[in-house]
Amino acid sequence: MFNEFQSAYRRFHSCETAMTKISNDILNNLDNKASTFLIFLDLSAAFDLVDHSVLLKRLKDKFHITSKVLDWFKSYLSDRQYSVKINCSISNGVLIFYGVPQGSILGPILFLLYISEIEEIATQHGLKIHLFADDMQLYISFQSLNALVNISNIEHCLRHIKSWMSSNFLKINESKTNFLTILSPSCNANSLNDVCISFGGSLIFPSDTAVNLGVKIDSSMTLADQINSVTSKGYFYLNNFYRIGDKLSHELKVQLITTYIIPLVDYCNVILVCATKQYVNKLQKLINSAVRFVFHLNGKKRFRSITPYLKQLHILPVESRIKYKLCLLVYKCIQGLAPQYLIDTLKEKKVDSRLRSANDFFMLHEPRPNSTYGESAFSYAGPHEWNQLPYDLKACTSLQMFKSSLKTHFFKLCFDC
């Protein structure tokens, strides 16, 4: 019942799987010397604007929910009231005819079904779409010669979406609409200097960066802005920690960096494969600074090697953390614990029976990339890292066992133990 490319409120789906899919498509486009137009749409108060009568009609007509089950949904949505309480005073209750409760279990599911037609509209106009609840990413690849044709397709698609939104009592927040042009090195950038999108009575010009599901994407796919943002936020936390560091125990310091610093570095880090070594090192320096805070390595002590302290805290270096996440995502795909749109990017490798690797039943096909862009795409980088793992590790029968064994594997590689 759900759209294939809807990644919110669904088992095995997340911001990271959504970002991995979008990044993979863009990098493969660049590898094939094609550029990408990327548009980000945002809905205003989306959950609060769902019309109950339209929702129930859609459940019946499109999803064939009838009889008693439809009555359950009617009962769930009808006769709800809201009121305002200030101190001891409560206003009179007002019936609610719009909106689904966002903090509930059914509310988000009903919202996803309510906006399910959006994917069909995008497909009609030749655009790919990825949704995360009310966040929408539309994108289309192009060669420099047909750029203007695709701009026209985008404008028609946006008008169609806006019209559908109006008829369904939803509203696009046009001020938050972002447009990103990711150009192939073979594309003549000068020919696209005046490219813009007409939408809602205004012109939207390409931005240098855009925030997508908490990740800053730049027009060259270096992820430099994302890494700079992470390190800036991380050092802000560390500066505050240092102010109270003398009053904190070792255990509490460890808890602080594992709660505030490590998750910053690890968020959607599977797409950091396309980041240069220079920017990966910036993240490593942030983790090193956090470890120095834990062990109070100031003054002359700050020149000590950080490796023994990373080993003591069981913190993998950033490069290994990226490889860990890649292999973990591949394992989930193989075991059916990932979205179908990621599973479809991987293929089993056909092995020559005369080769020593013929007995490895977990080998994956590694596409031949044309450039470093292709090498950074999940469809290549994932199988490439996976195929280098020991057979016994790839043959793990449970996710928990695999995660534990995978971390041990990288730990031994990094710290030679």
Side-chain angles (χ1 to χ4, degrees):
M1 294 172 71
F2 290 121
N3 291 334
E4 181 182 357
F5 300 107
Q6 171 63 263
S7 293
Y9 311 115
R10 298 178 65 186
R11 195 181 183 199
F12 306 138
H13 293 65
S14 66
C15 290
E16 186 160 55
T17 61
M19 283 303 308
T20 302
K21 169 60 177 170
I22 296 169
S23 173
N24 184 71
D25 288 349
I26 293 172
L27 291 169
N28 279 324
N29 289 341
L30 292 172
D31 193 52
N32 294 318
K33 298 183 179 180
S35 304
T36 304
F37 287 137
L38 186 57
I39 303 95
F40 304 97
L41 301 179
D42 184 70
L43 300 186
S44 298
F47 281 75
D48 299 330
L49 299 177
V50 172
D51 183 281
H52 293 174
S53 59
V54 173
L55 172 59
L56 291 169
K57 188 175 187 303
R58 185 153 297 143
L59 292 177
K60 180 181 178 182
D61 296 344
K62 183 175 182 180
F63 299 106
H64 310 294
I65 294 173
T66 57
S67 62
K68 182 160 288 191
V69 180
L70 188 64
D71 291 337
W72 288 343
F73 282 112
K74 286 179 182 176
S75 173
Y76 176 76
L77 294 168
S78 62
D79 296 326
R80 289 186 176 272
Q81 296 186 2
Y82 72 90
S83 57
V84 178
K85 181 179 180 181
I86 300 177
N87 296 327
C88 296
S89 302
I90 303 177
S91 69
N92 294 328
V94 177
L95 279 173
I96 300 174
F97 299 101
Y98 299 91
V100 287
Q102 191 168 351
S104 64
I105 294 174
L106 271 185
I109 294 173
L110 292 173
F111 175 76
L112 298 189
L113 298 180
Y114 189 78
I115 65 166
S116 59
E117 293 177 9
I118 294 290
E119 186 174 319
E120 298 167 16
I121 295 173
T123 305
Q124 285 175 29
H125 295 275
L127 274 75
K128 290 186 177 182
I129 188 171
H130 210 109
L131 302 104
F132 196 92
D134 56 343
D135 287 320
M136 303 180 196
Q137 297 85 42
L138 298 163
Y139 54 106
I140 188 169
S141 64
F142 67 93
Q143 304 291 339
S144 55
L145 294 175
N146 63 355
L148 296 180
V149 174
N150 283 307
I151 288 291
S152 178
N153 289 343
I154 291 170
E155 290 177 341
H156 282 107
C157 181
L158 291 179
R159 282 197 291 271
H160 193 167
I161 289 176
K162 186 177 180 181
S163 172
W164 183 89
M165 293 282 183
S166 298
S167 63
N168 286 273
F169 308 100
L170 297 173
K171 186 179 185 302
I172 293 179
N173 190 341
E174 293 170 10
S175 64
K176 289 189 177 181
T177 299
N178 252 323
F179 173 37
L180 205 62
T181 305
I182 302 170
L183 297 180
S184 163
S186 61
C187 181
N188 183 6
N190 293 328
S191 64
L192 296 174
N193 280 342
D194 299 325
V195 164
C196 62
I197 293 174
S198 175
F199 180 45
S202 59
L203 297 178
I204 302 173
F205 290 90
S207 306
D208 292 327
T209 60
V211 179
N212 184 26
L213 303 179
V215 176
K216 286 188 176 181
I217 298 180
D218 55 82
S219 55
S220 55
M221 286 300 288
T222 62
L223 295 180
D225 291 304
Q226 168 64 10
I227 291 171
N228 288 335
S229 174
V230 167
T231 52
S232 176
K233 192 178 292 186
Y235 284 120
F236 171 78
Y237 286 141
L238 276 178
N239 287 336
N240 286 326
F241 296 161
Y242 267 109
R243 292 178 184 177
I244 57 173
D246 294 339
K247 302 176 178 65
L248 302 176
S249 65
H250 175 81
E251 291 73 19
L252 192 51
K253 286 180 178 180
V254 172
Q255 190 176 342
L256 282 172
I257 70 163
T258 54
T259 303
Y260 289 93
I261 307 298
I262 301 299
L264 271 178
V265 176
D266 285 348
Y267 179 70
C268 288
N269 65 340
V270 72
I271 67 170
L272 293 181
V273 181
C274 60
T276 63
K277 196 168 186 66
Q278 172 192 354
Y279 286 108
V280 172
N281 286 341
K282 287 189 74 170
L283 293 174
Q284 186 61 54
K285 287 179 181 177
L286 172 62
I287 287 186
N288 292 350
S289 297
V291 171
R292 288 191 177 95
F293 161 73
V294 171
F295 290 98
H296 201 65
L297 301 178
N298 298 324
K300 292 182 180 180
K301 291 181 181 179
R302 65 191 176 93
F303 296 108
R304 291 182 183 177
S305 170
I306 203 70
T307 303
Y309 300 98
L310 287 170
K311 182 178 178 181
Q312 187 175 332
L313 293 178
H314 281 256
I315 296 177
L316 288 172
V318 172
E319 191 173 348
S320 295
R321 303 183 81 82
I322 296 170
K323 292 179 180 180
Y324 171 88
K325 190 68 72 68
L326 268 173
C327 294
L328 179 59
L329 202 48
V330 170
Y331 178 84
K332 288 180 177 180
C333 288
I334 292 172
Q335 299 295 331
L337 305 175
Q340 190 62 43
Y341 57 72
L342 286 185
I343 295 174
D344 292 341
T345 64
L346 305 179
K347 294 180 181 177
E348 185 181 347
K349 184 177 182 178
K350 295 179 180 179
V351 182
D352 190 330
S353 58
R354 293 169 295 180
L355 298 178
R356 187 181 299 176
S357 59
N359 292 327
D360 190 340
F361 303 108
F362 296 98
M363 294 290 284
L364 293 175
H365 171 66
E366 298 179 31
R368 290 185 179 177
N370 301 312
S371 64
T372 54
Y373 292 114
E375 291 174 359
S376 302
F378 174 73
S379 53
Y380 171 80
H384 178 71
E385 293 299 333
W386 171 263
N387 288 342
Q388 296 181 55
L389 296 179
Y391 177 84
D392 291 344
L393 179 53
K394 291 185 283 188
C396 284
T397 54
S398 75
L399 178 61
Q400 204 57 43
M401 184 193 302
F402 177 78
K403 289 168 73 173
S404 176
S405 302
L406 183 63
K407 185 170 183 181
T408 302
H409 170 74
F410 281 115
F411 194 80
K412 288 179 179 178
L413 289 179
C414 293
F415 302 112
D416 195 26
C417 60

